[in-house]
Structures are given as structure tokens and as C-alpha cells.
Amino acid sequence: QWILLETAYPQGLVSVTQGPGDQAVICGSSYVLISTDDGANWAWDLAQDQLAQPIYGDWYAYHFFDDQAGIAVGTNALDSRYVILQTFDGGASWFIRLTAPGTPQPVGLVAVDFPDALTGYSVGTNGGMFKTVNGGFDWVPIETGPWGASDLWEVEFWDADHGLIRTSDAVFRTEDGGQTWSSCWAGDVFGISVLPNGIVYAVGAEQLGWSNDQGVDWNYVPIPFQYANRIQALAEDTLYLGTGNGIYHSFNNGLSWE
């Protein structure tokens, strides 16, 4: 059962994630909202005066290590530069860790993933990908990918070396921390989701794929959806799929949906 939660900023919501402690975090266009009471009330976060260096931006993804330390990624809305921020006090203040040229459109970095406390990856538009090996203090670009200038929409890593990134029409995998990449899915792909045991799910046009070996080999099953927005695997065989017609779930690896 789903309950509609109203916020003061109903437009431009782009993602929701678990924040520090028991907080829920909604990222949107030019704002971030925080709730500590299961969505009953929402407070503004990432106000400009919270930053050690002022910046006006759109924030698309968060990662929190604990209830104090976290990373936010997005774009500077004034000049379309990629931006990565870091906090050590639960979001009360933020420090700019990276600003780099973005694209003509203010989309910037849209996803971030930390497989461990030191190693992290962030991806975004125009082929932008960055890596840190010291917990987010310093970031370097990864420019060896075969995706060229394609927009990168998701990044998922099992450990510091093994992971996946997704464009709109391909999934690429690495076994050496992003030094080399190989294509493991060709064709429309609207979302990926990984489990800690190496299982990965991907959803494309009217098909669901799953792999038991981090994307090396795939099995496929047709699904009754031409387009999907996102897939989330909670456990083996337990899947949730966002489509233009609503949210569906499957408990048998996509053989049937409700």
C-alpha cells in the first residue's frame, strides 16, 4: 500500500534516499528536503549559506557513511559545472570537493556509489565519471570508458574493483577499478540494480535481464512493459519496477507482476 506524501516543493523531485540516522532525503531541482518523521514534515537542506563556499546547484544523489559524514553530487546551476560536496556534521555545513566542466544543460552528476569507506564513484552527463580513493576528499576523472560522450545514469559497485555503469543503451562492467571496461548489455536499458552476492538485474524494452556473476552472463525474460523508469531488487526474486503506469512488484524473477 502506498500513501501520497505532500511537500512544499511538488515539482522537480528527482530521487529519494536514506539520509543520516533515520532521515529521508529528497533531492530536487535547486533544493533538498529532509524528513525525520516518516515524511509527515519536510525541512529545507543545502541552503546556500550552509556551504563553506557558496554555490547554487541542483542535487541529484546522496551517500551517507553514518549519521554525520556524507557526499552530495549534482551541478552548479549557474555555469553547469559538475559539483561534489562533503559534510561531516549531518548536513549542517558542506564543503566543495570537486567542480569540473559539465554540459550545456544543467544536469551534471546524477549518481554516486561507495562500495567501501574510501572508494567512491560518481557519474553524470556527457560521459562524466569521477573516482575517489580517500573517502571523497579528492576526485579524479575516469576517461578510459568506451561510452564516449554518452550520458551515464547509474553506477553500482560490489567492491573497489568490480562494478557497473549504465547509459541509455548499454551497460559496461569493470574488474579493475575503472581502468578498463567491457560492454555486457547492448540495447535499451532503463535501470540496473545489484545485490551484494553478485546478482544484477537490468530492465530494457519489454525484457528483464538478470545475471548471477556480476554481469558476465545474462538470462532474459519478457515483461509486459515497453518502458520503465527504474528497477530495485530488494532480494533474490523480489523486484520493484517503476513504469509510466505505476509501480509493480514481482516475487518470481519477473515471470509475473502485480
Side-chain angles (χ1 to χ4, degrees):
Q1 183 178 3
W2 294 85
I3 300 173
L4 178 64
L5 300 178
E6 300 291 344
T7 74
Y9 301 87
Q11 297 181 349
L13 305 181
V14 296
S15 69
V16 60
T17 188
Q18 179 71 36
D22 59 355
Q23 293 183 1
V25 180
I26 287 179
C27 299
S29 179
S30 303
Y31 62 86
V32 173
L33 301 176
I34 300 289
S35 175
T36 58
D37 54 11
D38 294 327
N41 296 282
W42 297 87
W44 177 278
D45 188 27
L46 267 182
Q48 184 166 323
D49 60 6
Q50 289 178 300
L51 296 172
Q53 304 174 53
I55 191 170
Y56 177 76
D58 296 331
W59 313 108
Y60 291 92
Y62 268 58
H63 177 89
F64 275 90
F65 303 96
D66 52 40
D67 61 354
Q68 296 296 309
I71 297 288
V73 304
T75 185
N76 184 338
L78 299 181
D79 62 9
S80 300
R81 294 175 67 87
Y82 299 138
V83 181
I84 298 180
L85 307 177
Q86 188 170 35
T87 182
F88 300 102
D89 53 15
S93 59
W94 295 84
F95 298 88
I96 298 174
R97 295 305 183 202
L98 171 77
T99 59
T103 70
Q105 299 298 321
V107 177
L109 296 174
V110 299
V112 63
D113 188 47
F114 276 80
D116 59 51
L118 295 178
T119 309
Y121 299 86
S122 184
V123 300
T125 57
N126 201 34
M129 184 173 189
F130 298 88
K131 178 180 180 179
T132 180
V133 294
N134 59 7
F137 282 89
D138 301 291
W139 296 80
V140 296
I142 293 179
E143 300 175 329
T144 58
W147 50 82
S150 297
D151 296 335
L152 306 179
W153 298 115
E154 289 185 83
V155 56
E156 298 278 4
F157 270 74
W158 287 275
D159 55 44
D161 294 324
H162 298 81
L164 305 172
I165 60 100
R166 177 184 72 84
T167 71
S168 296
D169 56 10
V171 177
F172 299 91
R173 63 186 305 271
T174 182
E175 297 180 346
D176 53 18
Q179 297 183 56
T180 61
W181 296 84
S182 60
S183 175
C184 62
W185 176 294
D188 291 338
V189 55
F190 307 126
I192 58 175
S193 184
V194 307
L195 295 174
N197 60 1
I199 293 179
V200 54
Y201 293 90
V203 60
E206 299 182 336
Q207 72 171 349
L208 172 74
W210 73 92
S211 170
N212 296 320
D213 51 15
Q214 298 184 347
V216 176
D217 301 299
W218 291 85
N219 304 286
Y220 302 93
V221 62
I223 58 175
F225 311 106
Q226 186 174 5
Y227 299 105
N229 301 319
R230 186 173 180 86
I231 185 170
Q232 182 67 51
L234 300 185
E236 292 185 46
D237 297 338
T238 304
L239 311 175
Y240 284 83
L241 189 66
T243 76
N245 295 320
I247 297 175
Y248 295 82
H249 63 256
S250 173
F251 300 113
N252 55 10
N253 247 17
L255 295 176
S256 62
W257 295 86
E258 300 177 357

